Amino acid sequence: MQTTKRTGPTNIIVRKTIRALKSAANRNNAPIWKYVAELIDRPRRLRVEVNLSKINRYTQSGDVVVVPGKVLGAGSIDHPVTVAALGFSRQAVEKIRAAGGKAVHILQLIEENPRGSRVKIII
């Protein structure tokens, strides 16, 4: 009987993001980044895909949100928020910017907010 070895993500950007999240968690004593890294380290078929309507429902103006997966453009958003994710659909980026918000990669958010203070995770 042969056992298969778990290999983890093969996408180099995803691997770099996971390493950066774990490093930021240890360096800044910020457990939120470790949790986000664990969510991203799952198999791709189990990663989250969040619609803008869900982000709109659970956020208020000026919130900072992390999506450990992809943001899709279904629904609308009516207030400015900063959304950090692994990926965005083109329509999602257009709608976020039209509402006055920002769409950034998770690595950029780690640089702006290394302690992860006042960040919401939407899964």
Side-chain angles (χ1 to χ4, degrees):
M1 184 169 102
Q2 187 172 5
T3 59
T4 56
K5 180 180 165 197
R6 186 181 187 292
T7 58
T10 55
N11 183 332
I12 191 71
I13 296 169
V14 173
R15 290 190 354 218
K16 180 180 177 184
T17 303
I18 292 169
R19 271 197 314 273
L21 283 164
K22 289 179 180 177
S23 173
N26 291 334
R27 201 174 43 247
N28 303 305
N29 194 22
I32 186 170
W33 297 135
K34 185 175 182 191
Y35 180 61
V36 172
E38 290 171 2
L39 291 172
I40 294 173
D41 199 18
R42 301 160 75 183
R44 185 170 177 188
R45 68 184 177 278
L46 297 179
R47 269 192 224 135
V48 294
E49 293 178 341
V50 175
N51 288 315
L52 282 179
S53 58
K54 188 173 189 178
I55 293 173
N56 192 47
R57 198 174 324 129
Y58 293 111
T59 60
Q60 297 170 348
S61 183
D63 280 352
V64 179
V65 175
V66 172
V67 177
K70 189 168 187 174
V71 177
L72 304 176
S76 63
I77 189 159
D78 56 14
H79 53 272
V81 292
T82 301
V83 182
L86 280 179
F88 295 89
S89 69
R90 190 172 346 115
Q91 195 175 25
V93 173
E94 291 170 3
K95 289 181 179 181
I96 291 169
R97 289 187 180 149
K102 286 179 13 180
V104 298
H105 192 273
I106 293 175
L107 290 174
Q108 189 175 342
L109 183 65
I110 296 171
E111 291 175 15
E112 294 173 8
N113 188 352
R115 294 196 52 84
S117 55
R118 294 181 27 207
V119 173
K120 292 182 179 181
I121 301 174
I122 295 190
I123 49 176

